[in-house]
Amino acid sequence: MYRITLPEIGTFDAWRDAARRALAAKVRPEDILWQRGAGAADLFGTEATEFPDVASPDRVTVPKSFLSTVRLALWHRDPERFARAYAMLWALQSAPRLFEDRGDPRVSKLNALAKEVGRDKHKMTAFVRFRDTGDRDAPRRRFAAWFEPSHFIVEPTAPFFVKRFGDMDWTIHTPDLTAVFENGVLRFAPGIEKPPLPEDATEELWGTYFRNIFNPARVKLKAMQAEMPKKYWKNMPETAHLPEMIAGARARAAEMQAAAPTLPPLRASRVTARLSEDRRGPGEVHGEDRLADALDACRRCPLWQDATQPVPGEGPVDASLMFVGEQPGDREDLEGRPFVGPAGAVLDRALDQAGIDRATVYLTNAVKHFKFVPRGKRRVHQTPSADEIDHCRWWLDLERERVRPALIVALGATALRGLTGSGTGLLKRRGRIEMSGDQPVFVTIHPSYLLRLRDSDQRLREEAAFHADLRRAADHAAHLAA
Ligand code: URA
């Protein structure tokens, strides 16, 4: 019997390396005992043994689908996962197409493990809540979070957080492993028991935000728990109110229904809402207003200092399409609304050509303040820096969570960076649909690119291409929302 002890960090690479060597030495699956971690107990009392040396191990070829499945499945808590993966690798040598047979119980088990790990990774990206643990004046902000994953997913999921929160220092504590990101370097440390983390100033915002997007008429407890299992609730500030909101949901839904026939027509109710908004005192704001208020107080980067006001997104919160631009321009800065200047006119025309009603989509920007340099009486647009985009992602993420559109359209490189973490290679990526978290992002140009074209033929061609992009995006969103 051979015993292989895999490290807690780099487990997948170590398994692959050992599996290659075992295969080359023709060691049968039943002759290997796989373990993970320094403290792994040797139940059978066998000595650690190296495989017999093979002068030049054969190249091992496996189907891509096997490799991508194993890449996930090996982070599962199932103690047999390494053995299952090696047994499959062994079997594939004599039956190379075996992995295509979904009916084979060994194949379906590995696929099931991979699926559970994939789901757990997704939960981690969605439910980790950072708390501010640093000094506000320090050059890099510092955050910490506590999370309890179902499987060993910290290592394979940490790169997501590096990409998303590369501009700050953070630590994610879990019972198995701690991921630490400091000055741009990721490292891992042993897991710990839940640490006492400070309350976060943003906690109240999350709570208010969540209470306000909560629609009692739409409560589907089972679906909600499937998506956000109860075990995660305790570590998420916004869910502190869930039990009480769920308890009251039926009554509130009934109240809403009873009130419905007496509501004034929609236009009248909008006007009334505006009037009462104007009369509302501080502290009484809710929903989008609360978000706009919080945005007003934003000091995450210096852009607020010269801008007239931040410009939040606008549009229905149940929109299936969300458009993300770069930043407000001169007009937007003065009016406090997105896309109301020259680029907005180009966008309006394109929406019209693509058969999209502007009133049905959510329009916003990756950066919420106007960045400019004064030149005489004019304020000349400046492209936001990577840092400014990354700091402003906080707001964009809140809007994305609030609207949860079927499809997001990234207009230009700044939007693309805000949404996916990278804005490079825009033209190569144009027309593609990329995933950002669990949301699809359609990539296209910014409408102001068309404003800069001097050659009228080229401009006509580019306009037509932009209209075609938006048509494709609308078709795709309709398909996804169906
Ligand atoms: N350009 C943008 O990207 N957004 C606006 O809101 C206006 C111009």
Side-chain angles (χ1 to χ4, degrees), residues 188-454:
F188 296 97
I192 56 166
E193 283 187 11
K194 185 176 181 176
L197 292 176
E199 297 277 300
D200 190 337
T202 53
E203 197 137 302
E204 198 222 338
L205 174 63
W206 269 109
T208 315
Y209 164 73
F210 195 69
R211 272 202 307 281
N212 281 297
I213 60 167
F214 184 80
N215 180 347
R218 283 214 208 143
V219 178
K220 290 202 183 94
L221 250 194
K222 280 223 173 87
M224 210 160 131
Q225 281 182 17
E227 178 55 24
M228 191 199 285
K230 263 190 169 166
K231 66 173 268 203
Y232 300 110
W233 293 11
K234 60 181 185 293
N235 297 319
M236 300 171 67
E238 65 269 39
T239 52
H241 308 281
L242 262 180
E244 129 223 355
M245 290 193 302
I246 289 168
R250 279 232 174 87
R252 279 178 63 200
E255 261 169 41
M256 274 166 64
Q257 241 171 5
T262 66
L263 288 177
L266 193 61
R267 274 230 349 241
S269 70
R270 284 214 188 107
V271 172
T272 320
R274 278 245 184 92
L275 283 175
S276 63
E277 234 171 63
D278 289 343
R279 289 195 207 107
R280 223 179 265 148
E284 287 178 70
V285 286
H286 71 111
E288 205 146 83
D289 311 319
R290 187 79 178 83
L291 211 68
D293 268 12
L295 186 55
D296 249 342
C298 181
R299 303 291 181 263
R300 294 174 74 82
C301 79
L303 290 186
W304 65 275
Q305 292 169 5
D306 299 324
T308 311
Q309 58 189 321
V311 178
E314 73 173 22
V317 288
D318 60 353
S320 57
L321 258 178
M322 175 187 261
F323 286 83
V324 181
E326 182 193 66
Q327 61 164 340
D330 186 72
R331 278 282 293 282
E332 289 81 12
D333 169 80
L334 296 172
E335 289 194 30
R337 293 183 51 212
F339 287 106
V340 290
V346 176
L347 181 63
D348 282 349
R349 205 164 41 244
L351 290 173
D352 202 39
Q353 288 288 324
I356 303 169
D357 178 359
R358 174 169 170 148
T360 65
V361 300
Y362 193 93
L363 292 176
T364 192
N365 285 300
V367 172
K368 307 295 191 226
H369 284 104
F370 179 32
K371 180 176 180 181
F372 62 91
V373 283
R375 210 163 282 153
K377 284 190 183 159
R378 290 178 55 228
R379 302 191 294 172
V380 179
H381 160 277
Q382 298 278 289
T383 305
S385 70
D387 244 25
E388 287 152 357
I389 301 168
D390 293 345
H391 278 102
C392 217
R393 185 177 292 120
W394 159 256
W395 300 109
L396 183 58
D397 283 353
L398 278 181
E399 291 178 307
R400 287 174 59 178
E401 240 349 275
R402 183 185 174 101
V403 180
R404 294 213 52 84
L407 183 71
I408 306 177
V409 179
L411 299 168
T414 299
L416 196 53
R417 181 177 177 104
L419 289 162
T420 67
S422 158
T424 54
L426 174 75
L427 293 182
K428 264 203 208 131
R429 294 160 73 183
R430 180 178 186 177
R432 281 195 208 155
I433 292 178
E434 301 186 3
M435 290 308 289
S436 166
D438 63 346
Q439 293 178 325
V441 174
F442 180 88
V443 185
T444 186
I445 53 152
H446 191 279
S448 64
Y449 163 68
L450 302 174
L451 285 175
R452 291 193 296 270
L453 295 175
R454 294 279 153 251

Side-chain angles (χ1 to χ4, degrees), residues 45-57:
T46 46
E47 284 304 307
T49 323
E50 260 305 317
F51 303 123
D53 260 350
V54 177
S56 57

